[in-house]
């Protein structure tokens, strides 16, 4: 994803909340799911690492959700290459009309284009935060929903190909979310709440409200940041709009779904080979996990 206006103000780095209440969200599991994804290797569409990771996500969800649906298709890139893509969609109470949709991308970027060293620019990234953190969040939520099923319908969507190509102009990016937007589960599909979780493991967690989300679904933004405040996490979920970001929520919003982006775009290792597991903080995962799970327990 890309921030259209990167303007981090000096000295505005909020400290993550020190709240320590034990929650339903299992942070140790979430951290282990990040480690496992990184161990599979880069999750670039068409690679062995992608195949193994996709299979592992599906197996996890088959054991923890009511139904798992896969969307498999081939995308032709701007250069004419054909790449296999795979969305994974896990459902709880699939017949419930009141639904909450959580989205994350599970692919990783093929090139570390934000590196300054030309030799490093062409290397793939681990994507410990950009990719693995969101997947780990949703898999740990799946564990919690297996233990205590939700009262509303819940859908967990893992989209592929978010980060494959280039942004601005957007070429060969947001592929899985665009595909899902064109192939919804049914024509009436309208979750009451939709949240995209992306890059949520930064140790210096500062999640500002995202401007496209505020414009498209302000009440959902209020709900997410309000829940964070209720839990004592206002210093991590900062209730101010900052920048518009091109991310997987955009194709979904265009398809009429109300989805907001929860993302900490101010990450020093974004699209660099240094986006490694040591940059991801268990405390940040717990904060976001607590908020995400609490929203599913109205
Ligand atoms: Zn990215």
């Amino acid at each position: 994803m890309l921030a259209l206006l990167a303007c981090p103000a000096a000295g505005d780095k909020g400290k993550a909340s020190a709240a320590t209440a034990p929650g339903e969200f299992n942070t140790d599991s979430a951290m282990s799911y990040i480690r496992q994804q990184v161990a599979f290797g880069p999750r670039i569409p068409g690679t062995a690492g992608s195949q193994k990771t996709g299979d592992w996500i599906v197996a996890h969800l088959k054991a923890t959700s009511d139904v798992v649906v896969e969307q498999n298709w081939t995308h032709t890139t701007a250069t004419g290459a054909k790449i296999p893509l795979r969305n994974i969609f896990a459902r709880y109470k699939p017949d419930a009309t009141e639904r909450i949709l959580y989205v994350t991308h599970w692919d990783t970027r093929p090139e570390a284009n934000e590196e300054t060293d030309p030799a490093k620019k062409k290397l793939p990234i681990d994507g410990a935060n950009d990719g693995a953190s969101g997947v780990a969040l949703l898999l740990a939520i799946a564990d919690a929903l297996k233990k205590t099923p939700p009262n509303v319908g819940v859908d967990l969507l893992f989209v592929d190909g978010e980060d494959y190509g280039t942004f601005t102009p957007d070429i060969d990016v947001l592929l899985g979310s665009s595909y899902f937007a064109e192939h919804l589960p049914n024509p009436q599909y309208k979750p009451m709440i939709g949240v995209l979780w992306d890059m949520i493991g930064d140790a210096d967690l500062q999640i500002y409200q995202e401007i496209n989300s505020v414009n498209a679904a302000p009440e959902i933004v209020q709900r997410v940041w309000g829940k964070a405040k209720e839990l004592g996490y206002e210093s991590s979920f900062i209730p101010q709009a900052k920048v518009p970001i091109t991310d997987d929520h955009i194709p979904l919003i265009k398809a009429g779904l109300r989805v907001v982006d929860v993302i900490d775009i101010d990450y020093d290792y974004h699209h660099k080979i240094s986006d490694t597991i040591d940059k991801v903080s268990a405390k940040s995962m717990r904060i976001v996990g607590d908020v995400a799970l609490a929203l599913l327990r109205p």
Side-chain angles (χ1 to χ4, degrees):
M1 73 306 310
L2 184 86
L4 296 178
L5 298 165
C7 56
D12 69 348
K13 303 248 170 187
K15 286 281 163 283
S17 167
T20 53
E24 192 190 354
F25 184 79
N26 190 323
T27 309
D28 291 342
S29 296
M31 292 304 289
S32 77
Y33 299 152
I34 296 176
R35 274 193 295 279
Q36 178 63 72
Q37 289 171 82
V38 172
F40 282 133
R43 281 81 72 203
I44 304 164
T47 64
S50 172
Q51 184 67 46
K52 279 185 230 165
T53 306
D55 292 348
W56 171 79
I57 293 171
V58 168
H60 191 110
L61 295 171
K62 281 190 172 165
T64 49
S65 71
D66 294 336
V67 57
V68 181
V69 181
E70 288 190 53
Q71 294 180 322
N72 291 280
W73 73 104
T74 301
H75 172 75
T76 304
T77 69
T79 58
K82 298 214 182 290
I83 55 167
L85 291 167
R86 180 184 197 181
N87 285 344
I88 303 163
F89 188 53
R91 316 196 76 185
Y92 298 80
K93 297 190 189 301
D95 297 327
T97 47
E98 283 206 345
R99 311 199 65 78
I100 298 177
L101 168 68
Y102 280 180
V103 185
T104 196
H105 77 92
W106 70 274
D107 64 306
T108 52
R109 194 158 180 77
E111 295 186 348
N113 58 293
E114 290 296 327
E115 292 285 355
T116 45
D117 177 350
K120 288 183 179 172
K121 267 183 187 294
K122 292 286 170 196
L123 296 173
I125 66 169
D126 274 3
N129 190 32
D130 191 358
S133 70
V135 171
L137 173 79
L138 264 52
L139 292 181
I141 283 174
D143 295 340
L145 296 183
K146 168 75 177 173
K147 238 182 233 174
T148 310
N151 294 323
V152 296
V154 174
D155 295 322
L156 305 178
L157 172 63
F158 300 74
V159 293
D160 203 353
E162 184 269 339
D163 236 346
Y164 189 79
T166 57
F167 291 90
T168 318
D170 302 340
I171 299 167
D172 297 328
V173 291
L174 313 179
L175 299 174
S177 51
S178 299
Y179 189 89
F180 185 83
E182 290 157 12
H183 302 83
L184 296 176
N186 60 68
Q188 293 78 37
Y189 186 68
K190 286 268 188 284
M192 52 183 183
I193 296 176
V195 185
L196 167 63
W197 306 91
D198 194 6
M199 295 175 62
I200 40 88
D202 186 7
D204 179 22
L205 191 65
Q206 308 172 65
I207 304 177
Y208 285 87
Q209 298 171 350
E210 187 274 329
I211 287 179
N212 297 311
S213 307
V214 172
N215 291 337
E219 78 290 355
I220 299 177
V221 170
Q222 289 309 321
R223 189 137 165 183
V224 175
W225 269 257
K227 182 59 75 179
K229 183 179 179 183
E230 218 176 275
L231 296 174
Y233 297 142
E234 199 176 14
S235 59
S236 302
F237 278 76
I238 299 154
Q240 294 167 26
K242 197 168 181 182
V243 293
I245 295 170
T246 300
D247 204 351
D248 283 316
H249 60 321
I250 301 295
L252 301 172
I253 289 170
K254 284 182 182 162
L257 305 192
R258 305 181 71 73
V259 182
V260 304
D261 196 5
V262 171
I263 182 169
D264 181 356
I265 194 71
D266 187 11
Y267 178 59
D268 291 342
Y269 318 102
H270 190 207
H271 294 176
K272 294 181 180 170
I273 56 170
S274 48
D275 180 3
T276 46
I277 186 96
D278 55 300
K279 311 305 188 314
V280 178
S281 148
K283 185 171 163 184
S284 298
M285 292 301 295
R286 192 192 67 222
I287 290 169
V288 179
D290 285 350
V291 172
L293 207 43
L295 286 166
L296 296 180
R297 308 277 192 215

